[in-house]
Amino acid sequence: MTRDWHEWHRHYDDPESGLSRRLVVVRGALQGLLDAASAPVRLVSICAGDGRDTIPVLDSSDATVSGVLVELDPELAERARSAAPAGIEVRTADAGTTASYADACPADVFLACGVFGNVTDADIARTVATLPLLLTSGGQVVWTRGNNVPLDPTSHQGDPAELVRGLFADAGFEEVAYVADDAAGFRVGVHRWPGPTGTPPPDVQTFDFV
Ligand SMILES: C[S@@+](CC[C@H](N)C(=O)[O-])C[C@H]1O[C@@H](n2cnc3c(N)ncnc32)[C@H](O)[C@@H]1O
């Protein structure tokens, strides 16, 4: 484990924390995608934590959703597993390789929340470049990037979320939504893949947490 992710999750206990405010935005983005869905939705969430950004939204949605949440920490994964609705599998596994979830793709909705602030710029680039292979045509990615991350691994000068947005644009994605909250220290993006449905690579290494 790269840091104490249990301690990190405790920031959610304060409803006024930046993380709690980010959670509202992420849930809203996911809710919007599910509301707009006219067919069953295939969902994948990498580095899913205890699943609080997905599970309550799935519980309150009328959409039919199946898919996989991937979380390395066994205790957090178990918390998510015990709360997950039918159709959602929680895997205690390394989300840095597509081997952990390629069989659940191509996805209609893919969450990468709390990932890009913990990996190198090269790994962000590798992950974003791999996403078209992991998505259906029209599939959407909800991602986050902190702009005030302690020991931020980026070499990018300026707002690191701009690097992420640029990488999505370079990979051919369309930006659907972007929220930047400077006071709370987060950015949330939603990007849509307009190309053909991908063929998921069975075992590609995309990132390692630093
Ligand atoms: C910043 S938290 C984000 C959790 C959740 N997505 C959220 O936003 O509430 C990062 C999570 O990634 C998990 N993690 C770290 N390395 C991982 C890996 N290689 N594969 C899967 N999960 C990992 C941590 O245990 C932690 O729960």
Side-chain angles (χ1 to χ4, degrees), residues 50-52 55-56 58-59 77-86 88 90:
D50 65 6
R52 74 179 67 203
I55 293 168
L58 303 180
D59 283 342
E78 184 49 36
R79 251 193 261 166
R81 194 172 291 119
S82 63
I88 298 296
V90 180

Side-chain angles (χ1 to χ4, degrees), residues 1 5 8-9 12 22 47-49 53 70-73 76 93-96 113-114 118 207 209:
M1 275 295 145
W5 294 113
W8 183 90
H9 275 76
Y12 279 128
R22 189 191 87 175
C47 303
D53 48 6
V70 188
E71 166 57 43
L72 192 58
D73 181 277
L76 293 168
D94 177 10
C113 296
N118 297 293
F207 62 78
F209 269 40

Side-chain angles (χ1 to χ4, degrees), residues 116-117 119-122 124-125 143 145-149 151-167 170 178 187:
F116 294 151
V119 306
T120 63
D121 296 342
I124 301 173
W143 59 271
R145 183 62 165 95
N147 67 323
N148 196 12
V149 174
L151 303 175
D152 196 314
T154 192
S155 308
H156 181 77
Q157 300 297 310
D159 186 340
E162 293 305 323
L163 172 73
V164 181
R165 292 173 94 185
L167 290 168
D170 291 348
Y178 182 68
R187 281 83 175 87

